Amino acid sequence: MKAFSDIFIIYNPVSTGSSEPTAMKLERQLGKALPDVSIKSLPTKYAGHAEELVYELATSHKKPLIISSSGDGGYHEVINGAMKAKKAKKVAITAVLPAGNANDHSRTMQERPLAEAIIAGKITAIDLLEVTIHTKGKKLVRYAHSYAGLGLTPVIATELNRHTLNAFRETWLVLTTFFKHRPFTIRHSNKLIILDSLIFTNINEMAKILTLAQDNKPDDGKFEVISFPHAHKFLLIKKLFRAATVGLQTTRRENTYSFEVIKKMPLQLDGEVTTLAAGARVKISAAPMALKTII
């Protein structure tokens, strides 16, 4: 019995990375190894197109494997398309082929080359973060495969992931981002809390050098909560140094966490940025075993 009805590889033809050539290479590899499976590469045409493609493919094919030749941002679109299809009672199996600057998900999840894993055909279920945002009577639900974050640490991770790095450039980016940073306030459990950073994560590393937790637990129905209460910048430097060396200690592990933002601010989901309006209410929930994937 075939593990997949079809295989589709989605790539960005105008990517600054290696999205297209990496997709074509995988298509050739899989074509030789799986001659009885239909394999097709599909380009995206605009931002958000990958999400639409995944939904269309999942609703028109029985059990497709949909691969994102991208970094974390491109895969973010793919998993949201897969979750939309799941709500319509359709199946989309997903995988990410690392081809971007930010490849945190593939680096922490994949133990062998993706082509080998696909040929083996083992499908794994992992948790996602479900992010529900209520603003002025409107509700938005998005999913994250790796992390949701506010404040300093996700901003630094996003900056590091945008660049080809050496030690000097890493240090410079961290310092310039660090000194621009300002704390933010949320309301949590009816208390106002001033923070420098707040991260909810399913993975244990960000941006190649920041270790968030000691273990990677993507299938236990919980996520790590890592918070930095607002402190003197010297203490922040110590925490960032710890993240880049021995790793941080998880503040807590939860299956839900709710808060309200006081002022307009960015929320990063797998490095993709959405803006939270002042007064927005946010609920982070674990979506246990929500994503069928190849890792």
Side-chain angles (χ1 to χ4, degrees):
M1 183 177 176
K2 293 180 182 178
F4 334 105
S5 62
D6 306 82
I7 297 176
F8 298 96
I9 307 170
I10 296 176
Y11 67 91
N12 180 357
V14 295
S15 166
T16 56
S18 58
S19 180
E20 184 172 1
T22 302
M24 298 307 167
K25 180 180 178 181
L26 181 64
E27 183 179 352
R28 291 191 296 271
Q29 288 176 307
L30 296 180
K32 292 177 181 178
L34 303 171
D36 297 331
V37 179
S38 172
I39 304 169
K40 187 175 182 181
S41 294
L42 301 172
T44 57
K45 298 178 180 178
Y46 46 82
H49 190 206
E51 188 170 334
E52 297 171 9
L53 278 174
V54 172
Y55 180 77
E56 292 168 8
L57 294 170
T59 53
S60 58
H61 296 79
K62 186 176 181 181
K63 194 180 179 183
L65 169 62
I66 304 172
I67 303 163
S68 178
S69 178
S70 68
D72 292 330
Y75 194 43
H76 178 78
E77 289 190 19
V78 166
I79 63 108
N80 275 279
M83 292 305 293
K84 182 180 178 183
K86 185 176 182 178
K87 290 178 181 177
K89 310 291 185 186
K90 301 296 181 180
V91 175
I93 303 156
T94 71
V96 61
L97 177 65
N101 286 325
N103 299 308
D104 293 334
H105 183 86
S106 62
R107 190 179 64 256
T108 57
M109 294 287 190
Q110 293 173 352
E111 297 180 350
R112 55 180 167 174
L114 183 62
E116 291 183 17
I118 292 169
I119 293 165
K122 182 182 178 182
I123 299 170
T124 301
I126 64 171
D127 301 344
L128 293 176
L129 296 173
E130 181 178 273
V131 182
T132 305
I133 303 168
H134 291 273
T135 308
K136 298 178 181 177
K138 295 181 179 180
K139 177 182 174 182
L140 174 67
V141 178
R142 299 293 290 171
Y143 293 88
H145 54 71
S146 295
Y147 76 87
L150 303 96
L152 177 64
T153 311
V155 168
I156 287 176
T158 300
E159 284 301 311
L160 291 175
N161 279 328
R162 283 178 182 160
H163 299 84
T164 302
L165 300 173
N166 55 42
F168 175 79
R169 193 163 191 181
E170 282 178 6
T171 303
W172 178 252
L173 283 170
V174 168
L175 288 175
T176 54
T177 304
F178 176 81
F179 285 107
K180 290 178 185 175
H181 171 70
R182 297 293 180 270
F184 62 94
T185 303
I186 64 169
R187 190 186 309 276
H188 172 65
S189 297
N190 294 319
K191 295 179 181 178
L192 290 178
I193 306 172
I194 303 175
L195 298 169
D196 287 313
S197 190
L198 179 61
I199 309 169
F200 312 93
T201 180
N202 275 336
I203 62 173
N204 61 338
E205 293 180 11
M206 292 170 64
K208 310 177 190 69
I209 63 168
L210 301 178
T211 301
L212 303 177
Q214 298 305 315
D215 299 312
N216 201 18
K217 298 177 180 178
D219 56 1
D220 63 352
K222 292 182 180 290
F223 51 84
E224 316 291 324
V225 182
I226 300 166
S227 62
F228 286 12
H230 178 49
H232 190 278
K233 287 196 183 299
F234 175 73
L235 295 176
L236 269 179
I237 291 172
K238 286 180 65 177
K239 288 183 179 180
L240 288 172
F241 179 78
R242 183 177 181 83
T245 52
V246 297
L248 297 173
Q249 290 185 337
T250 301
T251 306
R252 55 205 268 194
R253 303 188 69 247
E254 299 286 355
N255 53 24
T256 61
Y257 188 105
S258 298
F259 61 93
E260 177 186 345
V261 299
I262 306 306
K263 295 182 179 180
K264 178 181 176 181
M265 66 178 301
L267 169 67
Q268 296 180 323
L269 304 176
D270 302 325
E272 297 298 293
V273 178
T274 186
T275 300
L276 298 175
R281 291 176 291 114
V282 182
K283 182 179 180 181
I284 312 291
S285 304
M289 315 291 273
L291 186 70
K292 291 185 176 181
T293 185
I294 302 289
I295 53 177

